[in-house]
Amino acid sequence: DIQMTQSPSSLSASLGDRVTITCRASQSIGTSLNWYQHKPGEAPKLLIYAASTLQKGVPSRFSGSGSGTTFTLTITSLQAEDFATYFCQQCDGNPSFGQGTKLEI
Amino acid sequence: QVQLVQSGAEVKKPGASVKVSCKTSGYSFTGHAMHWVRQAPGQRLEWMGWVNGANENTKYSEKFQGRVTLTRDTVADTAYMELRSLTSEDTAVYYCARDDGGVPYWFDPWGQGTLVTVSP
């Protein structure tokens, strides 16, 4: 099974900051990597699919990059509604998830 | 819009079974597979398996093989997850999520989650 390692596990930032979250796969997965936002009590929300494609309706301050084993999610100009948990998911075969990054003010 | 609405929270005794439903709307149910994922307290999300919306084909994670059954009702546009022989380690929030994209694929949207608590 493909293991996903996400870092950092938590992150403190301020409104307007730029933050980057990294996800590493235990083997090459091409661009089969998705990013989600999860707020307590809500359904997870797809942000980025296929490593770098922004899902419709997601603000352009979110971006994704990477291929192979290393991927990044970048959020520029943090807004209040962005404080949440973010997790990556690989979909090269059976899916698996990173452990999540809690983004706090 | 596409919506997945799950059944309510459950409390079960060890050894019991639980069946969670995922009612869909806003898309062709038979055109997409449905995945089930769970998150135990303090743990990462864990994929359990998927059921094909068009037929009864399923694929299960090895961890849950033999203990979980995924089904669907194409008349009711609803997917189901049944987990048997529950233990305290099965206490978790269970999510359904629509398979989208093809190859590669992604999960969109997700249900709101169903808390299953296993307690004596």
Side-chain angles (χ1 to χ4, degrees), chain B residues 53-74:
Chain B
N55 53 47
E56 293 287 357
N57 288 352
T58 54
K59 184 174 184 181
Y60 300 118
S61 165
E62 283 188 18
K63 176 174 179 176
F64 298 99
Q65 185 80 44
R67 204 162 66 91
V68 68
T69 301
L70 302 182
T71 57
R72 92 275 188 266
D73 179 340
T74 57

Side-chain angles (χ1 to χ4, degrees), chain A residues 4 34 36 38 43-44 46 49 55 87 89 91 93-95 97 99, chain B residues 35 37 39 44-47 59 95 104-108 110-112:
Chain A
M4 304 302 295
N34 310 313
Y36 300 85
H38 194 191
L46 176 68
Y49 61 88
Q55 171 68 338
F87 60 89
Q89 174 203 36
C91 287
N94 289 348
F97 298 88
Q99 70 269 39
Chain B
H35 295 265
V37 176
Q39 187 167 35
R44 71 179 65 196
L45 289 155
E46 185 173 34
W47 177 75
K59 184 174 184 181
Y95 295 96
Y105 63 95
W106 46 87
F107 292 2
D108 183 60
W110 296 55
Q112 83 278 15

Side-chain angles (χ1 to χ4, degrees), chain B residues 22-25 29 72-80:
Chain B
C22 174
K23 168 69 176 170
T24 75
S25 60
F29 181 77
R72 92 275 188 266
D73 179 340
T74 57
V75 174
D77 289 346
T78 300
Y80 301 92

Side-chain angles (χ1 to χ4, degrees), chain B residues 18-55:
Chain B
V18 68
K19 191 170 186 176
V20 178
S21 67
C22 174
K23 168 69 176 170
T24 75
S25 60
Y27 74 99
S28 172
F29 181 77
T30 56
H32 296 258
M34 189 70 74
H35 295 265
W36 288 86
V37 176
R38 77 177 187 181
Q39 187 167 35
Q43 303 299 310
R44 71 179 65 196
L45 289 155
E46 185 173 34
W47 177 75
M48 301 178 70
W50 60 255
V51 57
N52 190 313
N55 53 47

